[in-house]
Amino acid sequence: MSEAAPTPALPDRLAIDPSSPYFNADVFKRDIGIRFNDKERVDVEEYCVSEGWIKVAAGKKVDRKGKPLMLTLKGKVEAFYK
């Protein structure tokens, strides 16, 4: 019998942007869920559990490099595997 690869623990801070220092490709091999203030969010670009914030895109606005502008929302953050 083959054993499944161990699931890495979710980091305290994680970003989906590959150019970010907080990007971790091993974590994204499984689906990740973010619960913010007891509601599940699907539009989170980056999160930090210990500091209690998430970053989400501000509509269709982009900066001069073409990346979306981010809003930082503060509250209770929980990360989990789906």
Side-chain angles (χ1 to χ4, degrees):
M1 290 187 193
S2 64
E3 291 186 27
T7 303
L10 285 171
D12 178 57
R13 186 169 177 177
L14 185 65
I16 64 169
D17 183 14
S19 65
S20 171
Y22 300 106
F23 177 76
N24 185 345
D26 293 336
V27 173
F28 288 113
K29 290 180 181 177
R30 292 195 53 203
D31 287 335
I32 297 172
I34 304 296
R35 198 171 290 118
F36 181 69
N37 290 338
D38 298 325
K39 293 183 181 176
E40 191 168 342
R41 301 279 305 243
V42 295
D43 59 346
V44 177
E45 301 279 330
E46 186 174 350
Y47 74 83
C48 183
V49 174
S50 65
E51 295 177 13
W53 56 262
I54 61 171
K55 288 188 179 184
V56 295
K60 295 183 179 182
K61 303 282 184 183
V62 294
D63 65 7
R64 60 184 172 190
K65 295 179 182 178
K67 294 188 176 187
L69 291 177
M70 297 290 165
L71 293 174
T72 302
L73 305 174
K74 295 188 177 209
K76 181 181 164 191
V77 179
E78 297 174 53
F80 59 93
Y81 285 113
K82 291 185 178 182

